[in-house]
Amino acid sequence: MPELLDMAQRIAAAARPGEQVEAYVSWHRETDIRAFDGDVESLSSAESAGVGVRVVAGGRQGFAYVGNLDAHLAREALEGARDNASFATPDEHVGLASPDGAPVAPLELWDDRLGAFPVDAKVALALELERRVRAGDARIRQVVSSDYGDSLSESAIATSTGIAATSRRTTCYLAADAVAGERDETQTGDGYTVGRGESDLDLAAAAHDVVERATRLLGARKPPSARLDVVLDRRVTATLLAILAGTLSGEEAAKGRSLFAGRLGEEVGVASLTLVDDPTHDAAFGAAVYDSEGLACRRNLLVDRGRLAGFLYDTYSARLAGTTSTASAVRGGFKSTPGVGARALSLLPGTLDQQGIVSLVGDGLLVQGISGVHSGVNPVSGDFSVGAEGLMIRGGELAEPVREITIASTVQRMLQHVLAVGTDVQWLPSVAAGVSLAIGDVAMSGA
Amino acid sequence: MTAAASPLVEPGVVERVLAHALRHGGDFAEVFVEDKRSTAISLDDRRVEELSSGHDKGAGIRVVSGETTGFAHTADLSERGLLAAAETAAAVARSSAPGARQVELGDRRLVDGTRAEILPEGIGKAAKVDLLRRADDAARSTQQAIVQVSAGYGDSRRRILVASSEGLLASDDQVRTRFSVVCVASGDSGMQTGYESRAHTVGFELFDRFSVEDAARTAAGRAVAKLSARPAPSGVVPVVIKSGTGGILFHEACGHGLEADHVVKDASAYRGKLGELVASPLVTLVDDGTPVDQWGTAVIDDEGHPAQRNILIENGVLTDYMWDYLRGRRSGRASSGNGRRQSYQHLPMVRMTNTYLLAGTDDPDEIVAQTPYGVYVAKLGGGQVNTATGDFVFGMTEAFLIEDGRITEPLRDANLIGNGPDVLRKIDAVGNDFDMSPGTCGKDGQSVPVGCGQATLRITGVTVGGTAGA
């Protein structure tokens, strides 16, 4: 890791007078194993590394990357970024982050043991997950994939404006995907378990999830269209929160491209709704010490008891909006420039568990899975329409399974119609935590 | 044709690396070398926000031993770097009986240069930037309600070399260019978005074929039209899909289910249905990597197999699946040219190229005229499918109501949901027009460029996920 920071600092130090330079250097080692039919279908292991360089000069920004740590190629990237900057439109708000003195959260995201975890043991886990899923229910017809994956990642950011930050993390997961069948009918289900080290993995729970998800919708029918209340399962809520994060980007708001633009301080939802993005939360999958511009991550309150309390900002969008960065810069790796994003969103839990919420709703739909979220949620207009499957709720109890339906509303309306937030908060491999969530008056389209 | 650059790796080195990969045994080894340079420019909020350029170079090596594939990749293209990656990939073959193996590359399919007429590196950045400014100006000047415009330009040149222990040595030089524009319109009813894009496997000559101003005006018009849109219907209605933008329906509704990896794993609704009527007799579906310039086109796939035109469904009858090398070999047949991968850091798998429904004989206007009530989809957004069940969704980003055989009011965005095998049977009219559009297909974490195409067609009933009437 010192070498990564040294390299980043050497590149940043090449800044010319009147120029700002940022270098993001990262290294990654991963192993991916897929089991199928009692055998190893594939075993991949590889290291990759690269450098992304941003140059800002005269209010213009340019970027270039190279998928290599070769010093000569890194210099080429610097030259490329410099040349690219000369074609951009000047903007006084463009610039790199500077140290802001925010406290650095004492997070340990690295499990030393993972690097020494033997390949044979990884293979055994993938095979065992497959075996457990297959044995879990006679209706499991096929385990399409059973995967073990892990990664060790290190990165460093240095700028000519004084930023010097290093991060490292380990992650590992087990995931499987199965097909269940009964007579002519087919359903699928997946499950996973994720951790920073092997000891965090809960293989039995993942296997149980796969089996339950694949079998519970067998016999599902397409119900008639109706307007009803829905209860979103934890995973579904996490998916929605991740989409909602885009509308809480300070950049999108400043550019008038969010349904929340210009609404700071307004009531946007019911009073039971409090939304926080807190990457310093140790249990969050997206926990991070530094953001992607090298500022210390911090807790940001976004919706406070139904009132829009804040947006997420990186350095550029903060300047554009006349405020300071919330350390919410994220990037897809060395190949891209930072943008605004959430890392660890969660809703403040309510007072009822999922069973309690189902009872509260009385008659409605428990949504266990959604699809088409990227085409179905418009962050500008708020139009919301996604594919769904789940179980009907009748008389406060879970009833028959349903599939091939959509649920539709608008994001604005849904926030005003939240009936209850569950107590069952769970951090998922996402930028958001899952929690059961009941929303009233949604259009379900079916037969 | 432009002159070919020097080989990415010398054939002699490749032969030694392949032999090394099979040193401990194994049935098959492959080296995939890639050198990709790309440029991306984005304009947003009236400014050219960023130019970015990238360079990725490396090799992926796989070794197949029985049912198991070992894979490793490296950014180090020296013989030493390649041998080290081969060693890692070969770890899966440890148990096999070791033996010396000679590999001779005999079956050469080397492409000399690229089909692109104007290479991206031959055009100055200023000219590329100018396209985006022109689009911005055009979108804003034609429609008062447009409050925000973003536009993107991208090009890439990807040189690949594939060699295998079966003696294959193939290469390609792929140039792709894309342009897109998104407009936001604001009115009393809130804000709406409109999108338009062009993307082809060509060089900068892409911009001789259409006007960026026209594309920008189209996107602006879409956004403005939706300002007065009313909620889409909720429930099952007839849907007419305009030519060109509905190909994604076939990509999602049945294309993925015809990928052999899904089929052999019993994760496809089309397993065991070869020779059966699986669609309306009006449906003839093709996957075709050969059109000169479509987004999913290439001379060879990422396993070195020449691109092919494959008929998947003919007059409603399922005729074949799509295959990559490995799936084909295990089923005793050849690849259909559908082995693709995102980059050298990924294993190849069965992927679509350009998937399209052949045109029919109906007049597209007549199809609308003969629809008393329904939804006319002028542009579809992205979609998603569960291959095992065939259930799919996709978004309508430009849609209108059909009343008394006429296209009337614009509708707000909504998803369509259906079941692939079911929808294919419900196609009762296929137009004599045809068009294609580009897309990015994601599967198992890998993204590749694909094309989708179709004629104007009607589905007798599909569930529209709006909010009206529920």
Side-chain angles (χ1 to χ4, degrees):
Chain A
M1 193 145 58
E3 349 26 307
L4 296 186
L5 185 61
D6 283 352
M7 181 171 184
Q9 287 182 315
R10 272 199 302 278
I11 297 167
R16 293 171 179 166
E19 192 180 70
Q20 296 180 346
V21 173
E22 171 195 74
Y24 175 89
V25 185
S26 71
W27 171 90
H28 184 80
R29 189 173 108 203
E30 65 176 31
T31 304
D32 292 288
I33 294 156
R34 171 159 293 181
F36 179 69
D37 209 8
D39 214 337
V40 178
E41 180 179 296
S42 62
L43 194 167
S44 308
S45 67
E47 286 183 18
S48 55
V51 186
V53 183
R54 269 203 293 173
V55 171
V56 176
R60 302 165 196 258
Q61 173 175 306
F63 176 77
Y65 76 82
V66 61
N68 206 300
L69 292 187
D70 179 273
H72 175 73
L73 292 172
R75 261 197 308 281
E76 265 181 32
L78 172 64
E79 289 306 323
R82 198 170 262 153
D83 185 52
N84 285 342
S86 67
F87 293 92
T89 313
D91 179 343
E92 54 176 330
H93 306 300
V94 167
L96 304 178
S98 298
D100 65 358
V104 176
L107 294 176
E108 184 49 87
L109 307 175
W110 180 275
D111 184 336
D112 243 340
R113 293 165 299 178
L114 192 61
F117 188 46
V119 173
D120 290 348
K122 299 176 186 181
V123 167
L125 284 176
L127 291 170
E128 175 62 11
L129 176 62
E130 189 196 32
R131 196 192 62 76
R132 290 256 198 126
V133 172
R134 210 175 275 284
D137 191 299
R139 294 168 296 173
I140 295 290
R141 216 167 64 198
Q142 181 71 275
V143 183
V144 178
S145 61
S146 175
D147 297 344
Y148 169 89
D150 64 30
S151 70
L152 286 66
S153 322
E154 300 187 11
S155 65
I157 307 171
T159 68
S160 57
T161 55
I163 294 284
T166 58
S167 304
R168 60 174 198 166
R169 66 172 66 236
T170 51
T171 53
C172 60
Y173 70 90
L174 277 166
D177 198 353
V179 176
E182 207 167 29
R183 292 179 292 279
D184 282 353
E185 200 197 345
T186 298
Q187 288 294 341
T188 60
D190 65 327
Y192 49 75
T193 172
V194 181
R196 298 203 172 105
E198 182 260 334
S199 59
D200 298 330
L201 299 179
D202 187 343
L203 188 147
H208 175 81
D209 244 23
V210 182
V211 174
E212 189 186 312
R213 285 181 171 268
T215 55
R216 71 188 174 184
L217 288 173
L218 283 169
R221 297 265 182 274
K222 184 168 179 151
S225 300
R227 192 168 270 281
L228 41 60
D229 298 340
V230 298
V231 179
L232 307 180
D233 204 12
R234 292 192 290 198
R235 268 209 229 174
V236 174
T237 303
T239 304
L240 288 189
L241 290 180
I243 297 279
L244 201 60
T247 66
L248 291 164
S249 151
E251 177 160 354
E252 295 306 294
K255 291 178 174 175
R257 237 178 352 229
S258 160
L259 58 99
F260 292 124
R263 298 189 63 195
L264 195 66
E266 287 181 23
E267 292 291 332
V268 297
V270 297
S272 60
L273 217 52
T274 291
L275 180 66
V276 170
D277 184 41
D278 186 8
T280 69
H281 193 301
D282 177 67
F285 180 78
V289 178
Y290 293 103
D291 84 342
S292 294
E293 291 184 305
L295 294 177
C297 286
R298 58 210 73 174
R299 181 179 188 273
N300 293 302
L301 181 62
L302 300 170
V303 177
D304 183 14
R305 287 160 292 172
R307 196 177 50 83
L308 184 60
F311 289 101
L312 298 170
Y313 295 101
D314 62 1
T315 299
Y316 169 72
S317 59
R319 290 182 187 175
L320 192 62
T323 179
T324 52
S325 172
T326 57
S328 302
V330 295
R331 63 206 293 169
F334 64 85
K335 294 186 186 183
S336 58
T337 51
V340 183
R343 292 176 185 271
L345 288 168
S346 65
L347 287 171
L348 190 74
T351 55
L352 295 171
D353 61 8
Q354 191 179 84
Q355 177 57 52
I357 292 180
V358 166
S359 299
L360 175 79
V361 164
D363 292 296
L365 170 71
L366 174 69
V367 181
Q368 298 196 326
I370 55 173
S371 56
V373 284
H374 292 287
S375 58
V377 186
N378 187 317
V380 178
S381 66
D383 285 338
F384 178 94
S385 165
V386 300
E389 57 189 25
L391 301 168
M392 296 306 293
I393 301 171
R394 298 189 192 283
E397 300 287 337
L398 296 179
E400 78 278 8
V402 291
R403 53 175 274 248
E404 211 189 316
I405 52 175
T406 62
I407 51 172
S409 182
T410 64
V411 172
Q412 296 91 324
R413 233 183 118 72
M414 290 164 77
L415 297 179
Q416 296 290 358
H417 285 78
V418 169
L419 304 174
V421 182
T423 51
D424 51 349
V425 176
Q426 181 192 22
W427 287 102
L428 297 171
S430 157
V431 300
V435 66
S436 296
L437 183 68
I439 296 174
D441 199 26
V442 168
M444 175 179 80
S445 301
Chain B
M1 292 277 179
T2 47
S6 58
L8 293 167
V9 177
E10 290 301 327
V13 173
V14 176
E15 284 175 347
R16 289 193 290 277
V17 170
L18 287 169
H20 191 74
L22 293 176
R23 201 161 54 109
H24 306 295
D27 314 314
F28 173 79
E30 175 195 71
V31 176
F32 175 87
V33 190
E34 180 179 49
D35 185 330
K36 183 176 176 180
R37 288 177 186 272
S38 54
T39 304
I41 310 176
S42 61
L43 175 142
D44 193 19
D45 200 20
R46 290 188 182 276
R47 29 184 301 272
V48 176
E49 200 170 55
E50 185 177 286
L51 269 81
S52 112
S53 45
H55 187 191
D56 292 286
K57 191 163 85 165
I61 298 179
R62 63 172 164 159
V63 174
V64 178
S65 176
E67 295 299 307
T68 303
T69 298
F71 181 68
H73 59 80
T74 176
D76 181 357
L77 292 185
S78 69
E79 183 162 354
R80 197 167 133 258
L82 293 170
L83 289 172
E87 187 77 35
T88 307
V92 294
R94 270 177 309 192
S95 54
S96 313
R101 222 8 220 275
Q102 279 270 314
V103 174
E104 263 182 68
L105 299 174
D107 180 12
R108 297 185 180 219
R109 301 173 197 162
L110 297 171
V111 171
D112 192 18
T114 161
R115 290 168 172 177
E117 289 162 23
I118 308 172
L119 290 177
E121 57 263 39
I123 295 289
K125 291 171 185 170
K128 297 173 183 176
V129 165
D130 186 51
L131 295 167
L132 302 184
R133 290 193 203 284
R134 281 164 46 203
D136 188 36
D137 288 345
R140 289 177 188 272
S141 64
T142 49
Q143 301 276 359
Q144 278 258 302
I146 298 299
V147 294
Q148 195 57 272
V149 178
S150 56
Y153 165 91
D155 62 45
S156 66
R157 182 171 184 186
R158 177 185 192 237
R159 294 168 59 214
I160 60 170
L161 179 144
V162 196
S164 81
S165 56
E166 297 186 343
L168 169 73
L169 178 66
S171 71
D172 197 6
D173 189 342
Q174 302 163 352
V175 174
R176 289 190 165 90
T177 305
R178 64 178 167 82
F179 169 85
S180 63
V181 55
V182 182
C183 296
V184 178
S186 180
D188 297 339
S189 59
M191 290 183 290
Q192 290 290 347
T193 54
Y195 174 77
E196 175 67 358
S197 70
R198 297 296 175 98
H200 286 273
T201 301
V202 298
F204 202 73
E205 66 270 23
L206 174 69
F207 299 97
D208 298 337
R209 302 175 173 194
F210 76 102
S211 132
V212 293
E213 285 86 355
D214 286 349
R217 283 190 282 262
T218 300
R222 285 189 175 126
V224 171
K226 277 198 279 182
L227 287 176
S228 57
R230 64 188 217 185
S234 163
V236 178
V237 296
V239 171
V240 177
I241 302 175
K242 186 184 173 184
S243 65
T245 79
I248 180 124
L249 168 71
F250 298 97
H251 178 100
E252 298 294 351
C254 60
H256 280 297
L258 299 177
E259 294 167 341
D261 49 352
H262 290 306
V263 177
V264 300
K265 285 189 167 186
D266 195 10
S268 166
Y270 295 97
R271 178 185 167 99
K273 300 247 165 85
L274 282 177
E276 289 182 24
L277 194 68
V278 297
S280 152
L282 299 175
V283 171
T284 292
L285 186 74
V286 171
D287 182 84
D288 186 355
T290 67
V292 173
D293 59 3
Q294 288 303 327
W295 194 231
T297 294
V299 174
I300 54 170
D301 71 1
D302 298 323
E303 299 182 300
H305 194 283
Q308 278 180 212
R309 180 177 191 272
N310 299 298
I311 297 175
L312 305 172
I313 297 175
E314 191 163 21
N315 303 323
V317 176
L318 181 62
T319 51
D320 201 1
Y321 304 116
M322 289 170 275
W323 304 83
D324 62 5
Y325 168 78
L326 210 53
R327 296 289 163 202
R329 195 176 76 148
R330 286 180 186 155
S331 298
R333 54 161 294 158
S335 161
S336 57
N338 290 95
R340 302 183 68 190
R341 55 180 124 203
Q342 180 178 315
S343 80
Y344 74 87
Q345 300 190 352
H346 299 88
L347 269 169
M349 59 181 149
V350 186
R351 302 301 294 262
M352 285 175 261
T353 60
N354 305 294
T355 312
Y356 52 87
L357 181 83
L358 296 190
T361 55
D362 295 321
D363 176 350
D365 294 335
E366 271 303 301
I367 296 176
V368 174
Q370 288 170 11
T371 307
Y373 175 81
V375 167
Y376 181 78
V377 183
K379 191 158 180 64
L380 278 174
Q384 191 181 335
V385 67
N386 179 330
T387 56
T389 62
D391 289 352
F392 67 84
V393 290
F394 51 93
M396 312 188 291
T397 59
E398 187 186 14
F400 302 85
L401 207 57
I402 301 175
E403 294 169 299
D404 298 327
R406 288 185 308 116
I407 292 169
T408 58
E409 290 183 71
L411 299 173
R412 296 184 73 143
D413 291 357
N415 257 316
L416 298 179
I417 189 159
N419 179 267
D422 180 49
V423 159
L424 289 188
R425 288 189 194 94
K426 288 183 175 164
I427 292 171
D428 73 339
V430 178
N432 55 19
D433 53 348
F434 180 82
D435 204 359
M436 293 200 63
S437 56
T440 299
C441 171
K443 177 178 172 183
D444 216 1
Q446 294 192 42
S447 295
V448 296
V450 295
C452 299
Q454 114 288 359
T456 296
L457 60 89
R458 182 172 57 204
I459 304 164
T460 55
V462 61
T463 300
V464 177
T467 57

